[in-house]
Amino acid sequence: DVKVTQSSRYLVKRTGEKVFLECVQDMDHENMFWYRQDPGLGLRLIYFSYDVKMKEKGDIPEGYSVSREKKERFSLILESASTNQTSMYLCASSLLSGGDFSYEQYFGPGTRLTVT
Amino acid sequence: AQKVTQAQTEISVVEKEDVTLDCVYETRDTTYYLFWYKQPPSGELVFLIRRNSFDEQNEISGRYSWNFQKSTSSFNFTITASQVVDSAVYFCALRKTGNQFYFGTGTSLTVIP
């Protein structure tokens, strides 16, 4: 079974703090993704990575950065947390899609971050 | 522009009723992929089905069925004889060229015993 794990289920941070959210997958997937999920807005892509040290911006990258030093690990960094970054953060991974086939994403359990 | 629309925000049905969750997508690509995911109260999204744009066959898996219609850009999901365990948020997603997925805003389904 594919396993995507996230470092914390719940996190409370103060405004201005630097926050690290870690995601690890154990199935040698090339692609990894970070989303935030907010009521009424669904899942919005923050960043994704298709290889080690490679990253691409998603729809809402402002205020976030990412790091992928190893294939299995993808970190989301909030450089200076703000209250509007209070959200559920979901990590996902998938095999690299190509040709006429697209692999599904596997999701972690999520990290509920509260910034006060 | 919204690429995936799930117009039903919340649906409640009584157990054993059938329910259809709507999904309308928008793309100009000729090759694309559609997905449905289930997010139970525990929070982890679970993959249900994938469909590519060249395969318009409907799919049935137990009580679940999916109706893909390119003419109306829709990929609807029907649960037959709903059960309490079907209560969850359901997301429709689109992948075009590239590796980015576009998710709808989700439909929260409550099955009342």
Side-chain angles (χ1 to χ4, degrees), chain A residues 22-86:
Chain A
E22 305 285 342
C23 175
V24 177
Q25 49 93 5
D26 66 357
M27 284 302 291
D28 204 35
H29 284 173
E30 292 87 2
N31 291 338
M32 295 189 76
F33 306 80
W34 275 107
Y35 295 89
R36 63 177 282 176
Q37 181 179 7
D38 301 288
L41 297 177
L43 276 70
R44 293 181 292 166
L45 182 66
I46 304 171
Y47 270 97
F48 68 99
S49 167
Y50 52 89
D51 200 353
V52 175
K53 296 192 187 295
M54 305 303 289
K55 60 185 179 185
E56 286 201 24
K57 293 180 180 179
D59 298 319
I60 52 165
E62 297 78 19
Y64 303 94
S65 62
V66 290
S67 171
R68 191 153 180 216
E69 297 296 320
K70 293 185 178 182
K71 191 175 185 180
E72 68 270 19
R73 187 180 297 268
F74 191 34
S75 302
L76 179 69
I77 303 154
L78 286 65
E79 297 290 344
S80 177
S82 63
T83 54
N84 63 13
Q85 292 179 309
T86 291

Side-chain angles (χ1 to χ4, degrees), chain B residues 66-100:
Chain B
W66 290 268
N67 182 359
F68 176 31
Q69 292 197 341
K70 285 176 76 170
S71 59
T72 56
S73 298
S74 64
F75 186 42
N76 296 337
F77 173 29
T78 297
I79 303 174
T80 303
S82 59
Q83 299 176 2
V84 172
V85 293
D86 296 327
S87 295
V89 181
Y90 291 86
F91 289 96
C92 180
L94 165 72
R95 185 180 84 82
K96 306 186 296 176
T97 53
N99 283 292
Q100 186 166 348

Side-chain angles (χ1 to χ4, degrees), chain A residues 9 31 33 35 37 40-43 45 48 50 58-59 90 96-97 99-105 107-109, chain B residues 3 31 33 35 37 39 42-47 50 52 54 89 91 95 98-106:
Chain A
R9 286 302 301 267
N31 291 338
F33 306 80
Y35 295 89
Q37 181 179 7
L41 297 177
L43 276 70
L45 182 66
F48 68 99
Y50 52 89
D59 298 319
L90 297 172
L96 193 66
S97 297
D100 61 354
F101 190 79
S102 176
Y103 292 99
E104 67 275 19
Q105 295 180 318
F107 283 83
Chain B
K3 295 177 175 66
T31 301
Y33 307 87
F35 300 80
Y37 286 85
Q39 186 179 38
S42 60
E44 196 164 322
L45 273 82
V46 175
F47 165 72
R50 161 188 42 242
N52 73 45
F54 300 110
V89 181
F91 289 96
R95 185 180 84 82
N99 283 292
Q100 186 166 348
F101 286 67
Y102 299 89
F103 282 81
T105 51

Side-chain angles (χ1 to χ4, degrees), chain B residues 14-27:
Chain B
V14 176
E15 202 170 20
K16 297 183 184 169
E17 285 184 348
D18 299 347
V19 59
T20 295
L21 309 182
D22 298 333
C23 174
V24 175
Y25 62 92
E26 176 191 330
T27 180

Side-chain angles (χ1 to χ4, degrees), chain B residues 46-62:
Chain B
V46 175
F47 165 72
L48 294 177
I49 192 171
R50 161 188 42 242
R51 197 36 113 227
N52 73 45
S53 52
F54 300 110
D55 182 2
E56 284 194 76
Q57 280 192 342
N58 290 331
E59 174 114 0
I60 298 174
S61 176

